[in-house]
């Protein structure tokens, strides 16, 4: 049986944005952060991410960023709140004397 062709997840033009960013990374001229003030890009993954974000800003077809799981945050946030309340009550009771 013949398989159906998979749909492209990224547009070809978004791939060219990533390729141009990789060239800049290999030269050592790729900068990170707003306006390139964050410093030099040191990893391939970072260069790819910058290229994809530039493609998103131009409106090219690029999948959305993966969302983080909400259930893991809920369990950790409740336990951290309990411990933070104890710490804050101790701080309030101690007063400085002059």
């Amino acid at each position: 049986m013949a398989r159906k062709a998979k749909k492209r997840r990224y547009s070809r033009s978004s791939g060219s944005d990533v390729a141009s960013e990789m060239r800049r990374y290999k030269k050592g001229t790729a900068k990170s952060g707003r306006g390139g003030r964050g410093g030099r890009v040191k990893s391939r993954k970072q260069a790819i991410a910058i290229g994809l974000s530039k493609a998103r800003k131009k409106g090219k077809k690029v999948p959305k960023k993966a969302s983080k799981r909400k259930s893991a945050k809920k369990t950790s946030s409740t336990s951290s709140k309990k411990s933070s309340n104890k710490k804050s009550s101790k701080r309030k009771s101690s007063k400085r004397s002059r």
Side-chain angles (χ1 to χ4, degrees), residues 18 21-22 41 43-54:
V18 174
E21 190 62 35
M22 287 303 294
V41 175
S43 69
R44 288 177 60 86
K45 283 185 179 181
Q46 191 179 7
I48 292 166
I50 291 168
L52 288 174
S53 68
K54 285 181 179 178

Side-chain angles (χ1 to χ4, degrees), residues 1-92:
M1 297 196 122
R3 290 185 182 179
K4 287 186 179 179
K6 291 185 180 179
K7 292 181 183 178
R8 285 187 64 84
R9 290 189 178 94
Y10 298 87
S11 63
R12 287 188 174 92
S13 57
S14 67
S16 66
D17 280 347
V18 174
S20 65
E21 190 62 35
M22 287 303 294
R23 271 186 240 110
R24 291 179 65 225
Y25 160 71
K26 287 175 185 177
K27 279 184 185 177
T29 59
K31 300 279 183 113
S32 65
R34 197 172 176 96
R37 294 189 192 114
R40 193 170 60 84
V41 175
K42 294 177 183 175
S43 69
R44 288 177 60 86
K45 283 185 179 181
Q46 191 179 7
I48 292 166
I50 291 168
L52 288 174
S53 68
K54 285 181 179 178
R56 276 190 192 96
K57 285 176 186 174
K58 290 178 185 176
K60 295 179 180 177
K61 184 185 170 189
V62 182
K64 293 179 180 177
K65 294 177 185 177
S67 61
K68 294 178 183 176
R69 291 181 184 164
K70 293 179 183 177
S71 60
K73 284 185 177 180
K74 286 181 182 177
T75 55
S76 63
S77 63
T78 54
S79 61
S80 63
K81 283 182 183 177
K82 289 177 184 176
S83 62
S84 65
N85 289 340
K86 290 178 184 177
K87 289 177 185 176
S88 62
S89 62
K90 288 180 183 177
R91 288 179 191 157
K92 288 178 183 176

